[in-house]
Amino acid sequence: MDKEMRVRFAPSPTGPFHIGGARSALFNWLLARKMGGKFVLRIEDTDRKRSTPESEENIKSALKWLGITWDEGVDVGGPYGPYHQMERLGIYKKYTDRLLAEGKAYYCYCTPEELEAERQAELKAGEMPRYSGKCRNLTEEQRKQYEAEGRKPSIRLRVPADEKIVVHDMVRGDVEFDSNGIGDFVIVKSDGIPTYNYAVVIDDYLMHITHVIRAEEHLSNTPRQLLVYEALGFEKPVFGHISLILGTDHTKMSKRHGATSVQAYRDQGYLPEGIDNFLALLGWAPEGEEEIFTMEEACREFSMDRVAKNPAVFDIKKLNWINGQHIRRLTPEAFFELAKPFMIRAGYMTGSETGEKLAWLERVVATAQTQVDYGAQVPEKVAMYFTDEVEFENDEARAVLSAETVPLVLRSLLAEFEALPEVTHDSVKGCFKKVQKANKLKGQQVYMPFRVALTGNQHGPELAEMIPLLGVDRTEKRILSTLKKAGIAL
Ligand code: GLU
C-alpha cells in the first residue's frame, strides 16, 4: 500500500495573509482531501523581527473562514509537534550537532561587515556573489582566537563544488541547478536560530511530509534544501511549485491589481466559497467547462496533473463574476446576513430592527441579490429606499425623460397607483398594462421613463417589485424630485 499522503502549509506570520498564500494552502488542502491524506499547518516563526502573533491569528482565522481546516498543526496538535518552529529549536540543534561532528557543517566567524565587503568585491569583479568559504577549514587555534575576540559564529553547510542539483518537480519537470552558484550557506544564524532552508527540511522530514506543494518563488530555495536532505541522509519528499500569480498586465501581482490580503476581500463582503473557487482556478482547471464550483466539487476533481506551469493571472473582474455567481446561490437569509454590516455602516439600519421594519429591510436587501458581486455593493443598490434624491446614472438615462409622451405616462401611472386599494406586485403590474393600453404605447415607452424617473438608472430590479416596497408616497416624491431636476412639468 502506498504511504499516506501528507502535505503541509507553512506560513511565516510576518504580515497580512496574502492571496498567494491562501492559494498554496488551498491546493495542499484540496490534494489532501482528494487523496484521503493529511494537511498539516506549521508556523514558521523564526524571523523574530517580523513575526507577530497578530499575523498568525490573521492567517488561522482566514484559513478557517475559507474552510481550509488542518488535521494536524498549531492549536490542534498532532503526533509530530510542536508545530511552531520557535518551539523546535532543541530538535534542530540535535541535527546541527550531528552535521558539525561529521564535518558537513562548520562554524563561520565572518562578521556582517566582512561578508558585505566580500560581496561587493565579487560584484565588482563581475562574479555571482556567494560565500568565499573563508571559514571552511579553520584550525582549532583560529577558532579559539575568534571566540576570544567575542565573535559569535553562524553555522554553514559545506556545499560540494561542481555538482548538478536536480529538482524533480511535479509541475515543472526536472529543473537543474549548479552547486557552484550556491556556495556554503548559513543553516544556523549567530543567534542560534535556524534559517528557513534548514528548518524547513528537518520539519518536513520529521512531520513525514510526502509532498511539498508551494509557490514558484521557492523553487530557487529547493536546491539548498536538497543539499540539506543529502547532508542529513533524509528521504526527500516530492516537490511541486505552483506558478506565480500575475496581474492582468502580466507583472507580478501587487496592490495595483486589487487588494492582496484575504482580509481585505473578507471586509468587502466577498464569500469564502467565491474566493476559494477563484483561488482554485489560479493555476488549476477542472476537466469540464464549468467554472463555478463548491469546495466539495473541487476536492473531488482536483489533481496535480491539471496544475499549469504558466503563470496564473489575477483578474479582479473574474473574481467579481465568480463571487457574484456564489452570491446568487445563497439563501435570502444568508444574503441578508452578508449585507447587514454594510447596511449598518451605510446608516440604513441599526441591526436591532424587529417585526415589520425588519421584514421590510429583508425584502429591500433581497432585491440586490441578483445585482451585486460582493456585500459592500449592497447599499448603493438599495439606496433608493432610503433617500428621496435621484441621481441620473448618465446623460443617456436623463435623455429618456425628454420623450414627448413622458409627462402623460408618469401622470397616468401615479394616478393609477394612488387609486390602488392594495399596492402589490400584481396590482402595480396591472397599472402599467392599463396605462400602456389606454395610450396605445409600447411597453418600453411606459416602463423606461418610469424606471429612470424613479431610480435614475435604465436598468435594475423589476419595477413591480420596487414600488410596493417603496410605497406610493415615496414613489411619487422621488418621481417629482427627478422631474424637477430635469426641468419637466407634469
Ligand atoms: N515559511 C515559508 C513561507 O511562508 C514556507 C515556504 C514553504 O512552503 O516551504 O514562504
Side-chain angles (χ1 to χ4, degrees):
M1 200 187 89
D2 281 347
K3 66 178 172 183
E4 179 186 59
M5 174 178 275
R6 291 176 57 85
V7 295
R8 82 321 189 257
F9 178 54
S12 304
T14 52
F17 186 40
H18 195 275
I19 276 290
R23 196 249 331 227
S24 297
L26 179 66
F27 278 32
N28 277 288
W29 185 88
L30 287 171
L31 192 60
R33 287 292 165 275
K34 161 88 189 208
M35 305 303 287
K38 292 275 183 322
F39 174 70
V40 180
L41 177 66
R42 178 174 72 232
I43 298 289
E44 304 206 326
D45 53 355
T46 53
D47 184 339
R48 299 316 294 148
K49 275 205 208 84
R50 293 173 57 230
S51 298
T52 64
E54 296 75 48
S55 169
E56 178 180 330
E57 280 316 310
N58 180 265
I59 293 169
K60 291 187 293 197
S61 121
L63 288 174
K64 284 181 203 158
W65 180 68
L66 291 168
I68 303 175
T69 48
W70 49 103
D71 307 299
E72 282 173 31
V74 290
D75 300 349
V76 304
Y80 308 113
Y83 294 92
H84 282 98
Q85 287 192 323
M86 283 308 285
E87 292 169 20
R88 300 174 61 80
L89 298 184
I91 299 175
Y92 308 128
K93 176 144 193 329
K94 215 177 75 197
Y95 288 99
T96 311
D97 289 345
R98 201 172 97 192
L99 290 175
L100 285 166
E102 292 172 352
K104 291 179 177 165
Y106 62 87
Y107 289 106
C108 168
Y109 292 88
C110 296
T111 63
E113 295 74 30
E114 285 166 352
L115 292 170
E116 184 53 27
E118 195 178 290
R119 214 177 86 88
Q120 290 305 332
E122 280 167 335
L123 284 174
K124 221 166 156 189
E127 289 165 22
M128 259 252 288
R130 57 174 193 144
Y131 181 57
S132 66
K134 193 170 152 203
C135 295
R136 241 182 176 220
N137 301 305
L138 293 182
T139 61
E140 205 40 40
E141 198 110 325
Q142 286 168 311
R143 274 198 55 195
K144 284 211 177 104
Q145 172 69 30
Y146 281 137
E147 297 274 345
E149 284 174 25
R151 293 191 185 218
K152 285 239 165 305
S154 59
I155 298 170
R156 288 182 186 269
L157 189 78
R158 211 179 280 276
V159 172
D162 304 325
E163 239 180 54
K164 292 256 163 293
I165 306 164
V166 183
V167 179
H168 303 291
D169 192 285
M170 283 174 101
V171 181
R172 268 143 235 290
D174 283 358
V175 188
E176 218 176 89
F177 295 86
D178 182 346
S179 71
N180 292 338
I182 294 176
D184 298 348
F185 59 92
V186 174
I187 54 172
V188 181
K189 291 177 288 178
S190 57
D191 58 5
I193 296 180
T195 56
Y196 156 66
N197 279 318
Y198 182 54
V200 74
V201 170
I202 296 176
D203 290 346
D204 284 341
Y205 173 74
L206 293 178
M207 294 178 187
H208 298 268
I209 299 304
T210 58
H211 294 72
V212 170
I213 314 290
R214 62 188 167 199
E216 192 180 345
E217 283 91 334
H218 284 294
L219 181 60
S220 60
N221 285 320
T222 311
R224 286 180 179 76
Q225 294 172 21
L226 289 176
L227 288 165
V228 176
Y229 278 99
E230 285 291 332
L232 290 168
F234 289 166
E235 192 190 334
K236 299 175 188 93
V238 176
F239 290 95
H241 289 89
I242 49 185
S243 32
L244 292 176
I245 302 178
L246 304 181
T248 40
D249 58 359
H250 286 254
T251 61
K252 194 167 189 293
M253 164 81 180
S254 74
K255 289 235 163 76
R256 274 180 304 123
H257 303 109
T260 54
S261 75
V262 176
Q263 188 63 40
Y265 290 98
R266 191 175 176 180
D267 291 345
Q268 284 294 299
Y270 283 80
L271 294 171
E273 45 274 45
I275 301 281
D276 281 325
N277 189 158
F278 175 69
L279 290 178
L281 291 173
L282 283 180
W284 174 73
E287 222 157 292
E289 296 281 300
E290 187 54 55
E291 289 197 293
I292 302 299
F293 44 76
T294 63
M295 287 272 267
E296 268 139 59
E297 287 161 343
C299 277
R300 248 178 275 138
E301 286 212 31
F302 193 80
S303 85
M304 287 301 288
D305 306 344
R306 299 191 60 83
V307 171
K309 234 205 285 252
N310 49 328
V313 174
F314 184 98
D315 181 354
I316 186 85
K317 283 206 204 104
K318 177 138 190 196
L319 167 59
N320 288 345
W321 176 74
I322 290 176
N323 203 69
Q325 297 305 307
H326 285 277
I327 284 199
R328 313 286 176 269
R329 293 179 170 196
L330 292 178
T331 61
E333 293 75 24
F335 181 67
F336 186 69
E337 282 312 309
L338 178 75
K340 205 164 161 184
F342 303 99
M343 292 291 287
I344 293 173
R345 210 169 307 154
Y348 294 163
M349 62 184 280
T350 63
S352 47
E353 288 84 356
T354 54
E356 245 175 66
K357 183 78 208 248
L358 178 62
W360 180 77
L361 281 166
E362 284 168 352
R363 286 172 61 205
V364 164
V365 166
T367 63
Q369 188 170 355
T370 53
Q371 298 188 71
V372 297
D373 292 332
Y374 49 93
Q377 291 177 325
V378 174
E380 71 188 60
K381 295 293 181 198
V382 299
M384 59 171 292
Y385 296 101
F386 302 90
T387 74
D388 291 330
E389 273 304 302
V390 177
E391 303 287 343
F392 290 109
E393 62 171 339
N394 52 32
D395 288 342
E396 202 189 311
R398 184 189 286 262
V400 168
L401 297 184
S402 52
E404 211 186 319
T405 47
V406 167
L408 168 72
V409 165
L410 298 182
R411 211 167 39 229
S412 320
L413 281 169
L414 288 178
E416 290 295 336
F417 295 148
E418 268 168 38
L420 283 177
E422 212 188 338
V423 187
T424 63
H425 182 274
D426 290 350
S427 68
V428 164
K429 234 176 159 169
C431 295
F432 278 104
K433 287 253 158 67
K434 194 166 159 196
V435 170
Q436 182 188 339
K437 227 170 166 186
N439 297 288
K440 299 200 174 53
L441 294 168
K442 292 202 192 90
Q444 272 290 80
Q445 290 173 294
V446 183
Y447 286 100
M448 195 49 98
F450 200 85
R451 175 180 293 288
V452 170
L454 186 63
T455 68
N457 287 283
Q458 288 175 278
H459 307 279
E462 209 194 341
L463 285 167
E465 184 186 2
M466 287 192 273
I467 293 163
L469 271 178
L470 258 180
V472 171
D473 280 359
R474 304 255 332 261
T475 300
E476 192 165 328
K477 252 198 206 146
R478 287 179 66 87
I479 298 274
L480 294 178
S481 106
T482 315
L483 293 181
K484 203 161 149 208
K485 223 180 233 173
I488 298 168
L490 271 197

